[in-house]
Amino acid sequence: SSGINAEYGVHLEISTGTTLAKHSACTALLWLYREMNFVKELLLEISAPSPHQSDMSPQFLTAYERSLKPHHNMVSRSMYIVAAKTIPYREDILRALGHDGMKNTDAAVLTDMRTYAAAISHVTQYIERFYINNRLLS
């Protein structure tokens, strides 16, 4: 494609020494990577076998701790703790995502969640390798 993409923007910033500039493409892509990791972890947590687990707050917080928490300040952390208390119950999430009249909808939704998590993982691994290869992550 002939368009400019995020990777090109980061390469441009590497060549000009502006990767740490405020509002840089490098920083934006890094936060996108972190948020995608959070979504992946959340999908994996929700789709994990837990037949007696209805409250998804612990899964939300586990996903947060594995992905975003190390990069957040106290204010951001407290916002995610409050947000965890608003997470719908597991059965409500599954019903909302699978309400199409199919039999075994919950199983299909859980399978889709794992499939999407795997797809997100491929993208985040690519971004992580790119950042490591360009010495942008330690």
Side-chain angles (χ1 to χ4, degrees):
S1 126
S2 61
I4 296 176
N5 60 33
E7 189 174 343
Y8 173 81
V10 173
H11 275 297
L12 184 62
E13 290 175 356
I14 291 168
S15 69
T16 59
T18 57
T19 58
L20 299 177
K22 189 174 183 176
H23 305 298
S24 69
C26 184
T27 301
L29 186 58
L30 180 62
W31 278 104
L32 177 62
Y33 159 80
R34 290 171 177 168
E35 291 290 344
M36 289 175 68
N37 270 326
F38 171 69
V39 170
K40 175 195 73 175
E41 293 294 334
L42 184 58
L43 290 172
L44 291 172
E45 284 294 319
I46 293 171
S47 66
S50 55
H52 303 294
Q53 183 69 31
S54 186
D55 180 10
M56 291 287 100
S57 296
Q59 283 77 4
F60 180 91
L61 290 172
T62 298
Y64 176 69
E65 288 169 7
R66 288 185 185 158
S67 56
L68 293 170
K69 186 178 179 181
H71 311 289
H72 277 170
N73 61 28
M74 186 75 79
V75 173
S76 296
R77 287 178 184 165
S78 63
M79 288 173 42
Y80 273 81
I81 290 169
V82 170
K85 296 175 184 184
T86 67
I87 300 300
Y89 289 117
R90 187 172 198 256
E91 56 270 13
D92 294 333
I93 293 169
L94 297 177
R95 185 175 41 252
L97 294 175
H99 186 66
D100 60 3
M102 288 176 35
K103 290 185 179 185
N104 301 317
T105 301
D106 287 359
V109 170
L110 294 171
T111 298
D112 284 348
M113 285 182 171
R114 290 186 288 273
T115 300
Y116 291 128
I120 291 169
S121 184
H122 289 296
V123 174
T124 57
Q125 287 172 10
Y126 178 86
I127 295 170
E128 185 174 356
R129 280 192 307 274
F130 174 78
Y131 271 61
I132 289 170
N133 291 342
N134 287 285
R135 294 180 175 82
L136 299 170
L137 281 181
S138 51

